[in-house]
Amino acid sequence: MTQKFMGIDSSTQSLSVTIIEQIDQGDKCFSKIIYECSLNFNEHFSHYGIKDGVLPDTAGTGEALSPPQMWVEALEAAFHKMKDDGVDLSSVQCIGTAGQQHGSVYLNSTASEALGGLSPTASLVEQLKGIYARANSPIWMDSSTSVECAEITEALGGPKAVCALTGSECFERFTGPQIRKFYKNDVSAYTKTFDICLVSSFIPSILSGKILPIDSGDGAGMNLMDITKKEWSYDALEATAPGLSSKLLPITASHSIAGTVSPFFSKKFGLHPDCKIIPGTGDNPSSLVGLGLVKTGVLGISLGTSDTLFAFLPQPVVDPTGQSHVYGSPTGHYMALLCFKNGSLAREAVKNQFALSWDNFSSCLSKAVPGNKSCIMLPFFDTEIVPRVLKAGVKKYGIDDSDAAQNVQAVIEAQMTSMAMHSEWMGLTPKQIYVTGGASANKQILQVMANVFNAEVLSQETTNASGLGSAVRAQHAVLKAAGQDVSFDELVSGYINTSEENITRPQAEAVAALKAFREIYRVKEREYLAGIQ
Ligand code: ADP
Ligand code: XUL
């Protein structure tokens, strides 16, 4: 017997689908990826005026907004593509979804009815255009809410208190400060908001035709959820905006079943009317599952638009420096996460500055002598989250501005060193790192990572761990509902590629050089941060 499960990942620059198939043989079952597709927003949806999925910040205030209608159009386009590609959607048992974290969608009083009454004869975009109380959604790249962060922090008793309560200090991109700013700037639109969704709860709400709750994984990225109770904190809601509790459904566990697919999708695209929908989660909690990080001892790194470093935590532990976050894990436990905003954005800035292809970029790295003769770049092409840098500015020490190879090496060594240095508080000395995201296809970048962390680096079969994680979450929910107690570990272990050619090993000489480099980098970063305070 075979069953299929779908994962959808609505990320910053694209919407991707992963379908897995489970084949039951006697008392054993095997699963594999049978279909993947991705729709890039620049390529397909530039008519929204976006670049890399985000509207231009013309006022230069640090706002980062994206049109939710673009995500809606991408969702329907992905189903059209699957149909065109001949995918048999009728045997999909359940759909799991993930979304870029923190981004929020503001729905008015007509949204519930519009979602519940979608007609298959018209497009989603046409039918959903009137449901928003706010046309554009603030997303995770936004850095415009420092004032609101300070206000909420003060109301809740200081940064350490906020961190202990919600798992993170107040961060500009977190949804609570974003909601507060919206309330202060446009109280009338805030009042007309009936429901606030995250990107991760908006997408499954469209699929199921009803507004679904936020899960504890992504709910932890709002500065609104009590991290130990996994419930809304009424103190945090009060400190954020009046009447907020009425605009949020109670938090849910992402392994529950939330509903079935709406008739729009079954009639238009041939999904079975009983196809289940589970609550969405953030792309990072979803990647945790997709990367098999459902136990301690292994580190995960995603090299996407932003770079993230994450690890499974059995219990919530808080970063004493207040730079990291604790989110819910779809397994019911926790995860630690550090987010480096200048990920692919910085790599691409250097690549574009010297008009390089990715192949040229890689060959610069393959010829590099580790440690770059102690030449250092602090790669804050944009504002940064870890370490917190609120004004963009690249700082170079000893780097020749016309030397492409030196700049390429400097940006990669800086990024990997920064990740290793800022995750020291977790006290992990990982033997292995599982890596994903667009840039994980680059072997030379992975070699620098292996040398900086002194650990083996294993890249995943799919570059979309978040989509795979959501498909596996869907599978887990269906098995659990059927009374089969299968662990996440059992479900994901088959996807971890441990083959010899997939392992990038640390090189002893480079490890030593980069250990010394880390200390120089630490001093330079500290000096720089002290200078910009
Ligand atoms: P997101 O999920 O955040 O939208 P992805 O994980 O899809 O991002 O990563 C997209 C990024 O991957 C691109 O912006 C690009 O910079 C990067 N990328 C793609 N191929 C390579 C490569 N060979 N080397 C380095 N970076 C790459
Ligand atoms: C995590 C974060 C980013 C987004 C990107 O806190 O802000 O990783 O989830 O998709």
Side-chain angles (χ1 to χ4, degrees):
M1 192 186 139
T2 63
Q3 304 186 68
K4 290 184 191 140
F5 303 94
M6 184 188 291
I8 300 178
D9 176 38
S10 179
S11 80
T12 318
Q13 303 196 40
S14 58
L15 183 134
S16 314
V17 178
T18 306
I19 302 179
I20 59 173
E21 186 173 65
Q22 174 184 316
I23 303 152
D24 295 328
Q25 284 177 349
D27 57 355
K28 286 208 162 62
C29 78
F30 305 91
S31 303
K32 59 176 188 206
I33 297 173
I34 55 161
Y35 178 82
E36 285 183 294
C37 75
S38 183
L39 294 174
N40 179 275
F41 297 156
N42 275 351
E43 207 177 303
H44 298 276
F45 308 111
S46 59
H47 49 277
Y48 285 95
I50 50 93
K51 183 169 179 302
D52 301 333
V54 192
L55 294 167
D57 174 20
T58 40
T61 55
E63 271 194 336
L65 301 169
S66 295
Q69 281 286 83
M70 176 178 73
W71 302 325
V72 168
E73 188 171 345
L75 180 66
E76 183 161 0
F79 277 92
H80 279 293
K81 174 153 176 54
M82 286 187 264
K83 215 172 154 188
D84 293 348
D85 289 347
V87 178
D88 171 22
L89 293 172
S90 66
S91 52
V92 173
Q93 306 276 312
C94 182
I95 305 178
T97 54
Q100 52 171 310
Q101 291 199 252
H102 319 294
S104 41
V105 184
Y106 299 76
L107 301 177
N108 64 28
S109 61
T110 69
S112 254
E113 211 179 308
L115 287 168
L118 290 170
S119 157
T121 58
S123 71
L124 284 179
V125 163
E126 186 56 34
Q127 297 180 80
L128 297 182
K129 64 179 181 227
I131 67 169
Y132 306 99
R134 177 181 186 179
N136 293 315
S137 293
I139 65 152
W140 66 275
M141 294 166 98
D142 192 291
S143 57
S144 70
T145 63
S146 300
V147 172
E148 289 73 20
C149 284
E151 290 166 349
I152 296 170
T153 303
E154 198 191 331
L156 290 176
K160 292 228 175 314
V162 182
C163 195
L165 177 66
T166 72
S168 300
E169 289 187 7
C170 268
F171 277 81
E172 281 74 8
R173 70 192 193 286
F174 275 43
T175 324
Q178 293 293 340
I179 293 172
R180 179 161 181 81
K181 182 178 156 199
F182 178 49
Y183 153 70
K184 283 167 57 188
N185 287 1
D186 193 348
V187 72
S188 140
Y190 174 78
T191 311
K192 289 190 190 117
T193 302
F194 261 57
D195 291 281
I196 299 177
C197 292
L198 294 181
V199 180
S200 65
S201 65
F202 181 53
I203 301 292
S205 298
I206 302 169
L207 289 169
S208 64
K210 63 176 185 195
I211 298 169
L212 293 186
I214 287 168
D215 91 306
S216 55
D218 214 8
M222 300 173 81
N223 286 138
L224 294 175
M225 188 185 91
D226 182 321
I227 191 72
T228 41
K229 293 191 184 140
K230 295 184 179 164
E231 291 168 1
W232 297 122
S233 152
Y234 283 91
D235 288 347
L237 297 181
E238 280 292 295
T240 300
L244 183 51
S245 62
S246 69
K247 302 180 198 297
L248 295 165
L249 292 169
I251 300 233
T252 190
S254 69
H255 52 70
S256 52
I257 289 184
T260 49
V261 79
S262 89
F264 174 88
F265 287 93
S266 53
K267 292 195 177 130
K268 194 161 187 168
F269 298 107
L271 280 156
H272 195 283
D274 287 339
C275 172
K276 314 264 182 305
I277 305 293
I278 58 169
T281 193
D283 52 0
N284 294 298
S286 193
S287 292
L288 192 83
V289 169
L291 276 173
L293 295 165
V294 289
K295 53 187 175 198
T296 49
V298 199
L299 206 62
I301 292 184
S302 168
L303 302 173
T305 307
S306 66
D307 291 344
T308 49
L309 178 149
F310 40 92
F312 175 86
L313 293 177
Q315 301 294 334
V317 193
V318 174
D319 175 1
T321 70
Q323 298 188 106
S324 317
H325 315 299
V326 178
Y327 297 145
S329 149
T331 56
H333 304 90
Y334 293 91
M335 66 181 288
L337 180 132
L338 282 85
C339 181
F340 304 84
K341 188 172 170 187
N342 285 276
S344 283
L345 296 174
R347 292 186 283 275
E348 280 182 18
V350 174
K351 173 179 168 282
N352 295 341
Q353 184 189 341
F354 296 99
L356 303 172
S357 65
W358 284 123
D359 281 346
N360 303 144
F361 192 95
S362 300
S363 75
C364 290
L365 288 175
S366 63
K367 290 183 209 130
V369 179
N372 217 356
K373 298 191 186 122
S374 304
C375 297
I376 283 179
M377 177 194 290
L378 299 178
F380 308 130
F381 289 83
D382 201 340
T383 56
E384 185 50 275
I385 298 163
V386 179
R388 202 180 279 211
V389 175
L390 293 177
K391 197 167 179 303
V394 177
K395 180 81 184 157
K396 297 183 183 179
Y397 302 90
I399 291 176
D400 176 354
D401 237 345
S402 63
D403 185 337
Q406 203 185 35
N407 279 269
V408 167
Q409 181 181 0
V411 72
I412 299 299
E413 287 185 348
Q415 290 184 322
M416 299 305 143
T417 300
S418 179
M419 282 195 216
M421 205 171 86
H422 291 290
S423 58
E424 283 165 359
W425 68 271
M426 292 182 204
L428 302 172
T429 35
K431 289 270 166 295
Q432 289 192 322
I433 299 172
Y434 294 165
V435 66
T436 181
S440 67
N442 192 317
K443 243 337 211 183
Q444 302 304 329
I445 295 179
L446 303 192
Q447 186 62 64
V448 180
M449 183 186 287
N451 291 338
V452 168
F453 283 88
N454 192 16
E456 292 177 350
V457 175
L458 286 80
S459 55
Q460 262 280 24
E461 181 190 340
T462 172
T463 48
N464 185 10
S466 175
L468 173 61
S470 282
V472 171
R473 291 192 305 109
Q475 181 184 23
H476 183 264
V478 168
L479 292 173
K480 193 165 182 274
Q484 294 181 43
D485 195 14
V486 187
S487 72
F488 274 105
D489 199 18
E490 276 173 78
L491 293 179
V492 293
S493 57
Y495 299 102
I496 312 302
N497 184 349
T498 51
S499 65
E500 197 48 39
E501 66 275 10
N502 187 45
I503 304 180
T504 306
R505 293 182 199 286
Q507 299 157 318
E509 248 178 69
V511 170
L514 288 163
K515 201 168 163 217
F517 177 84
R518 189 189 300 192
E519 296 318 310
I520 304 169
Y521 189 90
R522 192 190 306 276
V523 171
K524 290 292 177 215
E525 188 192 92
R526 208 174 274 159
E527 276 173 17
Y528 177 77
L529 296 178
I532 58 166
Q533 294 299 315

